[in-house]
Amino acid sequence: MEYMRIWTEVDIKGVEEKLIIVDDLTGHCPGCHEIGIKMENLTNCPKCGREFKYITSRSARGSSSQDMVKRIKKKLPNLIFVDIEDYERITAKKKGEELFKGI
């Protein structure tokens, strides 16, 4: 099986609220900032209880991204992988819009 990006319109706030950021071994909850979260049977943050539906990795960039995505999806097939570059671009744009709102 191969992986490819499929673009669909999403509510970025909904993604932000249910996202976990991982590396090869552990995860980081953006909600409570808990680090070192073990990825076995991961559905919720063990500290704050945040439900995880989406997953991304800062290591999944460039030419090595497909290998990283495969490893992560093998560990957590129930989560939807989000491209980190798309996520960072959209959230930065939203933060900028909020910053200049009302000016």
Side-chain angles (χ1 to χ4, degrees):
M1 177 135 352
E2 297 297 324
Y3 289 94
M4 66 180 190
R5 291 164 71 169
I6 298 174
W7 291 11
T8 187
E9 192 172 24
V10 297
D11 171 19
I12 192 64
K13 194 72 170 162
V15 173
E16 282 182 303
E17 292 171 354
K18 295 187 178 211
L19 182 75
I20 183 169
I21 301 169
V22 300
D23 56 29
D24 265 335
L25 302 174
T26 61
H28 163 256
C29 177
C32 68
H33 306 289
E34 179 72 5
I35 58 172
I37 299 171
K38 296 188 187 314
M39 296 196 321
E40 293 83 30
N41 302 316
L42 186 62
T43 56
N44 296 78
C45 176
K47 184 176 180 184
C48 70
R50 176 187 195 135
E51 177 190 4
F52 297 127
K53 181 178 178 183
Y54 301 98
I55 190 166
T56 193
S57 176
R58 290 190 173 93
S59 300
R61 295 181 191 266
S63 61
S64 65
S65 66
Q66 194 173 58
D67 292 335
M68 183 65 154
V69 172
K70 284 180 183 179
R71 286 194 304 273
I72 292 169
K73 288 296 289 179
K74 188 174 182 178
K75 290 178 184 178
L76 295 166
N78 57 315
L79 299 181
I80 299 167
F81 195 90
V82 174
D83 183 85
I84 188 70
E85 292 170 341
D86 290 345
Y87 175 75
E88 288 176 340
R89 178 181 46 80
I90 293 167
T91 55
K93 179 182 173 190
K94 290 287 185 189
K95 286 177 186 173
E97 289 172 356
E98 288 296 315
L99 181 66
F100 293 107
K101 188 187 246 182
I103 294 179

